[in-house]
Amino acid sequence: MPRQPIDPAVLDELLTTRTSKWTLTVVLHLRRDTMRFSELQRGIGSISQKALTSTLRALERDGFVSRTSYATIPPRVDYRLTELGGEALEAFEAFEAFAARHWHRVVAARQAFDSREDDAPGVIYRLGGR
């Protein structure tokens, strides 16, 4: 079957959505096993309930995560990566490996940027030289 041409607007939207703050972290936590919401939240630690809910919904909407609800007391909901999510995981793990190799360079670059005297906090830069 021939490939459909890429719609740049759809590609831009997908890249923007999938690079939200928590997407990588959630997918990396789901890489080995099905997890309940509370397990994910505990495992990640610094994520709010609202942010985790929003991230899981976006991942489910895009087909990266499946959600299975069980009619138990209390209710039980499990999340796992789909086949598509597993394929995305490969790219996310590549970035994780990159970050593990180069985190110290990023920290040094941030420190150098933050300590520059000519970039005083509160200065607003305007385009067009005004």
Side-chain angles (χ1 to χ4, degrees):
M1 182 165 107
R3 271 188 138 171
Q4 292 183 347
I6 295 173
D7 180 338
V10 173
L11 183 60
D12 286 347
E13 191 275 335
L14 181 61
L15 290 172
T16 302
T17 305
R18 287 306 110 236
T19 56
S20 70
K21 180 176 180 176
W22 293 107
T23 298
L24 283 164
T25 302
V26 170
V27 170
L28 290 171
H29 273 80
L30 286 171
R31 76 175 114 197
R32 290 186 181 84
D33 204 2
T34 298
M35 296 181 82
R36 295 173 77 169
F37 186 94
S38 59
E39 293 172 319
L40 275 167
Q41 193 171 27
R42 230 181 354 267
I44 294 169
S46 57
I47 191 169
S48 70
Q49 183 173 343
K50 182 179 178 181
L52 182 55
T53 298
S54 175
T55 301
L56 286 167
R57 283 179 166 267
L59 288 166
E60 183 181 6
R61 181 175 183 246
D62 287 345
F64 292 171
V65 168
S66 70
R67 178 183 186 272
T68 305
S69 183
Y70 300 94
T72 60
I73 299 175
R76 177 179 166 183
V77 179
D78 288 342
Y79 296 91
R80 70 171 181 79
L81 292 180
T82 62
E83 183 180 332
L84 184 61
E87 197 168 323
L89 176 63
E90 294 175 22
F92 294 174
E93 286 178 328
F95 187 76
E96 179 186 40
F98 169 85
R101 281 192 312 272
H102 300 293
W103 67 268
H104 61 285
R105 293 174 65 189
V106 173
V107 169
R110 287 177 180 174
Q111 289 171 341
F113 181 90
D114 291 347
S115 69
R116 290 194 306 212
E117 292 177 5
D118 60 337
D119 285 337
V123 174
I124 298 173
Y125 297 96
R126 297 177 193 259
L127 296 176
R130 294 180 189 201

